Amino acid sequence: MKTIDGKQLAANLRAEIAEGVRKLKEEKGVTPGLAVILVGDNPASVSYVTAKEKACVEAGMYSREIRLPGTTSEDELVKLVGDLNSDPAIHGILVQLPVPKHIRDKAVIDAISPEKDVDGFTPVNVGRMLIGEKCFLPCTPHGIIKLIEFAGMDIRGKHAVVIGRSNIVGKPFAALLSRKETNATVTLCHTGTPDISKFTREADIVVVAAGRPNTVTGDMLKPGAVVIDVGVNRIPDATRPKGFRLVGDADFESCSKVAGAITPVPGGVGPMTITMLLWNTLEAARG
Ligand code: GUN
C-alpha cells in the first residue's frame, strides 16, 4: 500500500509554477495577482485562506488579502468583487466559501468575472468545463486527477466512484473524469444512494467528499483500489495542542489494509487544491 504524498507533488508543481511566474515577470513585466476574500472568522476558513495567501507569495505572486467582518452585506461584497474585476493588478479572485448565511453564494459567485474566476465556480466556467472548452478547471477536482496520475494509475477505462455531489468537488469531478481526456466510467453516489458499498466494491478509484468521517471503510473497497480522501473533519482531541485533530472521510486504518494507494489527511488533497489555484492564477495572468 502506498500513501500518496500530496505535499511532495504540490512541491514539485509549485516549483514549476514559481518558474512560470519568474518568466512572466521577466518577459512581460506581469506579476500574477490573486485577491483572497474572507468574510467572517470561521476557523477552518481562516486556516485555508492563510495557507492560500502564503503559497501565493512563495510562488512569487502578489497576494491581496481582504478580510471582512461577518456583518458585511451582500451588496458590499458584490461591489468589492466588481472593483476587483476591473483592477489590472488582480488576475484571480477567490471568495472563500461558505460565506455567512445572510449572503447568497450565488450572488457572490455570479459577480466574479469568468476571466478572473480561478476557482472555476462561475456558471460560465462550469459550463465550459462540461462541454470541454478551455476554462479554469475547479482546483480540487483538477488536483485529484494529478494525484491519481502521481500514484501511477492510468485513469482511462477505469471505474471511479465519487461520493458526494457538492458543486465544489463531487459534481465537477464526476464531469471532469468522464471527459474524453481521462475517459473514466463514473458513478456518482450521494446521500440518496441506499448502499454505497455496492458501488465502491466495484471501483478502481474511490473519491470521497462527503464531509463525514468513516464514510468509506476497508470492507467497502476492492483490493488495490486508489482512495482519494477529500474530507477535512476536526475531531476533538485533548492530547493535541490545538485541542483537535484532522481526519478525512475515509477510515485510513482499515482502508490502508485493502487499498493500493490512499491520500492521507492532512497532506493529501489539501496541498493540491492550493497548488491548482496557483496554476489557474498563473494562467489568468498569462491571459
Ligand atoms: N471552500 C472550500 N473549498 C473551497 C475552494 O476551493 N474555494 C473556495 N473559494 N472556497 C472553498
Side-chain angles (χ1 to χ4, degrees):
M1 205 283 305
K2 181 154 106 182
T3 301
I4 307 171
D5 188 348
K7 274 199 218 157
Q8 182 60 57
L9 177 58
N12 300 350
L13 287 173
R14 286 183 201 190
E16 266 180 51
I17 293 166
E19 178 56 20
V21 171
R22 198 192 58 73
K23 271 202 181 137
L24 189 67
K25 282 184 190 168
E26 188 181 286
E27 290 166 12
K28 300 252 173 73
V30 174
T31 301
L34 175 68
V36 178
I37 305 172
L38 173 65
V39 186
D41 53 8
N42 174 305
S45 293
V46 170
S47 131
Y48 294 144
V49 302
T50 305
K52 287 172 187 180
E53 291 155 355
K54 182 165 167 273
C56 193
V57 172
E58 280 171 4
M61 297 183 181
Y62 164 57
S63 163
R64 190 177 301 167
E65 302 157 24
I66 305 167
R67 302 198 181 199
L68 302 170
T71 51
T72 304
S73 73
E74 184 178 295
D75 283 351
E76 284 170 313
L77 186 55
V78 166
K79 160 94 175 40
L80 170 65
V81 170
D83 291 344
L84 293 168
N85 282 338
S86 48
D87 185 332
I90 298 298
H91 303 93
I93 301 170
L94 179 145
V95 181
Q96 184 67 25
L97 299 177
V99 284
K101 286 205 168 48
H102 64 276
I103 301 175
R104 291 167 302 152
D105 287 5
K106 180 181 158 46
V108 180
I109 291 170
D110 284 351
I112 300 171
S113 158
E115 277 58 53
K116 297 193 177 186
D117 170 29
V118 285
D119 260 326
F121 286 174
T122 59
V124 168
N125 275 313
V126 175
R128 284 178 182 157
M129 179 198 56
L130 208 55
I131 60 178
E133 282 184 7
K134 189 171 174 345
C135 61
F136 292 116
L137 294 178
C139 303
T140 303
H142 193 190
I144 295 172
I145 289 186
K146 298 269 179 210
L147 282 166
I148 299 170
E149 290 170 351
F150 184 60
M153 179 182 265
D154 183 357
I155 298 172
R156 289 170 298 176
K158 297 294 193 303
H159 179 205
V161 168
V162 181
I163 306 169
R165 60 178 149 190
S166 69
N167 288 340
I168 296 184
V169 184
K171 275 192 277 185
F173 184 64
L176 251 191
L177 269 190
S178 56
R179 296 202 315 178
K180 251 293 174 350
E181 295 94 311
T182 26
N183 239 359
T185 302
V186 180
T187 302
L188 181 58
C189 297
H190 43 70
T191 47
T193 309
D195 180 9
I196 288 175
S197 68
K198 186 172 124 191
F199 301 100
T200 53
R201 283 199 191 97
E202 301 286 316
D204 305 301
I205 301 164
V206 174
V207 176
V208 56
R212 190 172 56 100
N214 297 318
T215 300
V216 174
T217 45
D219 57 308
M220 297 168 67
L221 299 174
K222 177 165 99 174
V226 170
V227 178
I228 306 290
D229 191 347
V230 186
V232 185
N233 304 292
R234 291 184 173 203
I235 303 286
D237 185 342
T239 68
R240 301 294 174 100
K242 289 186 177 162
F244 66 86
R245 69 193 148 89
L246 295 179
V247 300
D249 289 351
D251 172 38
F252 190 89
E253 170 87 21
S254 63
C255 287
S256 59
K257 294 196 173 100
V258 188
I262 183 168
T263 57
V265 177
V269 174
M272 285 304 295
T273 295
I274 297 177
T275 302
M276 302 330 286
L277 173 71
L278 300 178
W279 175 303
N280 283 348
T281 305
L282 175 58
E283 282 296 303
R286 281 178 174 149

